């Protein structure tokens, strides 16, 4: 019996030229995409860093022409100079105006598209008192305790004077609220408030010559009402008096003739 040994034949399959060409193109395309993606990852941060800020783009979209509302004639020149020279968006120009002129309380911005200009509506701070130091005016006190300057004659209404001494911002804010609350609560109009640490707080002088050792700035309304009652009961309207309210917390008020009256 003859045994036949099976022979294994191996066949070599070759891809047709057309298919090989297509595969090479596909590989080249994928490689190109990978290279482009890597280049984008490397260059994107640099490109983004050179792009203009959104606020700059907005600023370029708006014209530089503007109008102002609520600005007194005495301040028009100074405000126009700031808004005209400031760069950036309308909001940043408004912020620059508030930064340069503390008399400005707020600025509202609107766009007049038809006239192609920006409208700045300005609101000024309201002064509660005139700030003095060493006999000289140093500006005005606002309700938030800020001290600001303004052209002479801008505020014509009579105002009390305050000598802030070394009072910090928190104490100035409390003083401003106290002055506002005292506008109609005292026996006569407030003429001056002075920081007097040696007297444990503040000293007030009224327009009728009364001196008040006010102490700290708590219980403003209660102190004013009680002071009015005590002076009326004393019946000394024609005599300058000194009232000591520093012990008001203990329920005590001391009243005596002022030194000028004694003399």
């Amino acid at each position: 019996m003859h045994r036949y040994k099976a022979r294994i034949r191996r066949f070599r399959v070759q891809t047709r030229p057309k298919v090989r060409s297509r595969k090479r193109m596909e590989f080249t395309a994928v490689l190109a995409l990978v290279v482009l993606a890597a280049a984008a990852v490397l260059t994107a941060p640099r490109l983004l860093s050179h792009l203009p800020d959104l606020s700059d783009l907005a600023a370029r979209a708006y014209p530089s022409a503007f109008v102002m509302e609520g600005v007194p004639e005495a301040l028009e020149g100074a405000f126009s100079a700031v808004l005209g020279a400031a760069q950036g968006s309308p909001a940043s120009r408004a912020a620059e105006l508030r930064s340069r002129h503390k008399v400005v309380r707020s600025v509202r911005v609107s766009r007049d598209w038809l006239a192609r200009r920006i409208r700045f509506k300005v609101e000024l701070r309201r002064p509660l008192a005139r700030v003095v130091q060493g006999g000289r005016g140093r500006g005005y006190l606002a309700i938030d305790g800020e001290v600001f300057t303004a052209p002479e004659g801008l505020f014509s209404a009579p105002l009390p004077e305050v000598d802030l001494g070394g009072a910090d911002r928190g104490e100035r804010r409390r003083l401003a609220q106290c002055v506002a609350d005292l506008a109609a609560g005292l026996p006569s109009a407030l003429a001056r408030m002075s920081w007097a640490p040696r007297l444990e707080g503040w000293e007030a002088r009224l327009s009728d010559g009364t001196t008040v050792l006010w102490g700290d700035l708590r219980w403003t309304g209660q102190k004013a009402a009680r002071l009015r009652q005590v002076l009326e009961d004393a019946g000394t309207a024609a005599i300058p008096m000194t009232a000591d309210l520093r012990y008001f917390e203990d329920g005590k008020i001391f009243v005596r003739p002022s030194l000028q009256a004694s003399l």
Side-chain angles (χ1 to χ4, degrees), residues 68-77 79-80 97 120-122 124:
M68 299 182 299
E69 295 181 358
V71 179
E73 184 178 353
L75 294 171
E76 285 182 352
F79 286 10
S80 294
L97 180 63
F120 295 98
K121 188 171 184 179
V122 180
L124 301 182

Side-chain angles (χ1 to χ4, degrees), residues 172-232:
R172 294 198 305 268
R173 189 182 297 112
R174 288 187 286 272
L175 173 65
Q177 189 60 59
C178 177
V179 172
D181 293 341
L182 290 176
L186 291 171
S188 63
L190 178 66
R192 184 184 180 96
M193 287 280 281
S194 303
W195 174 244
R198 61 184 180 82
L199 299 176
E200 304 174 20
W202 295 84
E203 179 183 76
R205 294 186 183 275
L206 309 186
S207 59
D208 64 358
T210 300
T211 299
V212 185
L213 308 182
W214 196 269
D216 63 44
L217 298 175
R218 294 176 294 169
W219 307 298
T220 298
Q222 296 91 323
K223 282 184 176 182
R226 185 62 178 145
L227 177 63
R228 176 190 292 273
Q229 181 183 5
V230 168
L231 292 179
E232 289 177 354

Side-chain angles (χ1 to χ4, degrees), residues 129-178:
R130 186 184 298 272
V131 179
V132 296
Q133 184 178 11
R136 299 180 58 185
R138 299 296 183 182
Y140 299 90
L141 181 69
I143 188 64
D144 58 358
E146 286 288 338
V147 176
F148 64 92
T149 58
E152 191 65 32
L154 181 64
F155 304 113
S156 57
L159 296 170
E161 295 181 349
V162 292
D163 188 341
L164 301 175
D168 59 21
R169 185 172 183 177
E171 190 69 11
R172 294 198 305 268
R173 189 182 297 112
R174 288 187 286 272
L175 173 65
Q177 189 60 59
C178 177

Side-chain angles (χ1 to χ4, degrees), residues 36-66:
L36 289 175
V41 170
L42 294 175
T43 59
R46 183 177 298 178
L47 291 174
L48 290 175
S49 65
H50 287 82
L51 287 176
D53 186 68
L54 291 178
S55 61
D56 293 336
L57 291 176
R60 296 173 188 176
Y62 299 122
S64 58
F66 63 89

